[in-house]
Amino acid sequence: MTAYDDSNIFAKILRGEIPSHRVYEDDHAIAFMDVMPQAAGHTLVVPKSPSRNLLDADPQALTQLIPVVQKVAVAAKEAFAADGITVIQFNEPAAGQTVYHLHFHVIPRIEGVALKPHSGTMEDPAVLAAHAEKLRRALAR
Ligand code: 5GP
């Protein structure tokens, strides 16, 4: 398997080298808005520990990460008045992965509304900022 490369965009976000609309951080993970959301409120949950994807992740890191995925999913359902939440996680290019630092997509779903394409269109930063604020408020409750 290809080795982890810390020049990927999420490693840069974790190091604070490039901006993101961050909604959550603890000792093990951060969560921030996806810049090309597949639905309003599309959020990425990213562990601080380095791994390319699920296939090379430390199982201990996964035990710390999944509760954050759950926390963000519950808050996103409330913040975006969603009917459901889709959680997606891609491993390697053949499976659709484009950024090689493990992450879980948390996507609020409205009944009958299809997902937009993966890595499709850049969202207006003002919209992302407003969505991030909504989600932060729900996470704080
Ligand atoms: P993957 O295909 O690796 O599962 O998903 C990568 C995700 O990262 C895509 O949904 C894409 O829209 C998102 N993305 C790519 N570049 C950036 C970026 O610079 N900032 C943020 N916040 N999201 C990004």
Side-chain angles (χ1 to χ4, degrees):
M1 182 167 171
T2 311
Y4 178 80
D5 175 355
D6 74 358
S7 66
N8 71 77
I9 202 95
F10 295 167
K12 289 179 182 169
I13 286 174
L14 277 163
R15 292 194 294 267
E17 292 168 10
I18 64 165
S20 67
H21 296 277
R22 195 174 289 207
V23 295
Y24 178 84
E25 176 166 12
D26 65 17
D27 288 347
H28 308 293
I30 63 170
F32 51 87
M33 308 315 290
D34 194 306
V35 287
M36 291 174 266
Q38 292 186 251
H42 184 166
T43 305
L44 299 168
V45 179
V46 177
K48 291 184 174 178
S49 62
S51 74
R52 191 172 155 84
N53 54 43
L54 190 71
L55 303 176
D56 62 338
D58 176 355
Q60 177 63 23
L62 296 177
T63 68
Q64 292 157 337
L65 186 64
I66 293 299
V68 182
V69 175
Q70 182 188 38
K71 185 188 285 281
V72 170
V74 169
K77 186 169 183 298
E78 182 199 323
F80 296 93
D83 300 309
I85 296 288
T86 295
V87 174
I88 310 178
Q89 191 278 314
F90 301 98
N91 300 282
E92 298 300 322
Q97 187 177 9
T98 58
V99 178
Y100 300 100
H101 182 114
L102 175 62
H103 53 280
F104 284 79
H105 299 256
V106 175
I107 310 177
R109 302 300 302 275
I110 304 298
E111 195 70 52
V113 177
L115 283 184
K116 293 181 194 161
H118 180 54
S119 297
T121 309
M122 289 285 277
E123 183 56 278
D124 178 348
V127 171
L128 292 178
H131 287 174
E133 190 46 37
K134 260 186 168 181
L135 187 47
R136 277 185 212 109
R137 280 200 296 268
L139 281 161
R141 283 196 274 272

